[in-house]
Amino acid sequence: MAGYGSYLKKHTEALVKDVGIEPACVLTGKSKATLGRYYSDNEEHADRFMPVDAVAQLEDAASYPHVTAALAELKGIGLNFDDRRPNEERSGGVYSDVIALSQRFAMLMSEYQQSMEDGKITMNEAKRLLRETTLLQQVLIDMKLHLEDESV
């Protein structure tokens, strides 16, 4: 399987496994066998891909939009995934942003300290640090937006 196929199939498999095979069957109305064909690397299934509506249903339940991110990467597009999913907008403006920034930075430093206890950063530790860095960046973006609102 040449080109984009195997790359998309690997991310489709990651999506299904993120949600869980049984819940994925319920969400999409597809059987285990059908879902398996969507990410199978067997030649007979090389031209079979998950329909977009099924991808959307699964990504809504998943911890990360695996297939959407893969498609974006194939086109050279970077995505900024905001997994905070707040129930309501945070009020307080810049003041609450400064507090959130301090808390997020403390979390990053805590992760860094734990990662460096043995003198090296493992792959999992790097992923945790990257996640904390991204969340810190999101707080800074929120702060920037609040400052822009207040300066108008």
Side-chain angles (χ1 to χ4, degrees):
M1 184 181 329
Y4 302 141
S6 64
Y7 186 73
L8 291 174
K9 285 185 176 275
K10 286 176 187 174
H11 284 82
T12 301
E13 181 177 14
L15 175 61
V16 171
K17 289 183 177 180
D18 184 346
V19 173
I21 190 75
E22 297 288 335
C25 291
V26 172
L27 283 170
T28 62
K30 311 273 186 211
S31 69
K32 288 181 187 179
T34 299
L35 290 177
R37 287 182 198 106
Y38 292 145
Y39 55 81
S40 171
D41 59 0
N42 290 336
E43 191 60 38
E44 64 188 293
H45 303 299
D47 62 345
R48 219 175 244 229
F49 294 93
M50 185 177 285
V52 229
D53 61 333
V55 169
Q57 290 166 332
L58 293 179
E59 286 188 346
D60 193 38
S63 65
Y64 183 78
H66 299 277
V67 176
T68 299
L71 288 167
E73 288 172 10
L74 288 172
K75 287 306 217 177
I77 299 169
L79 297 179
N80 187 8
F81 178 63
D82 184 356
D83 64 350
R84 295 176 290 175
R85 299 182 185 183
N87 290 329
E88 59 186 49
E89 280 295 311
R90 197 166 35 91
S91 61
V94 176
Y95 298 113
S96 65
D97 291 335
V98 170
I99 293 167
L101 185 63
S102 299
Q103 291 170 336
R104 226 355 105 193
F105 188 73
M107 294 293 288
L108 175 63
M109 291 297 97
S110 173
E111 283 292 340
Y112 178 74
Q113 187 273 328
Q114 288 175 7
S115 298
M116 290 305 294
E117 282 180 350
D118 61 357
K120 63 179 180 174
I121 298 176
T122 66
M123 178 71 79
N124 284 335
E125 290 167 339
K127 287 180 182 178
R128 286 198 314 266
L129 285 167
L130 181 59
R131 182 171 189 273
E132 285 301 327
T133 303
T134 302
L135 290 169
L136 181 64
Q137 181 182 19
Q138 289 170 343
V139 172
L140 286 169
I141 291 169
D142 289 345
M143 189 174 188
K144 178 184 174 199
L145 293 172
H146 283 135
L147 286 168
E148 287 175 355
D149 286 346
E150 290 182 11
S151 68
V152 174

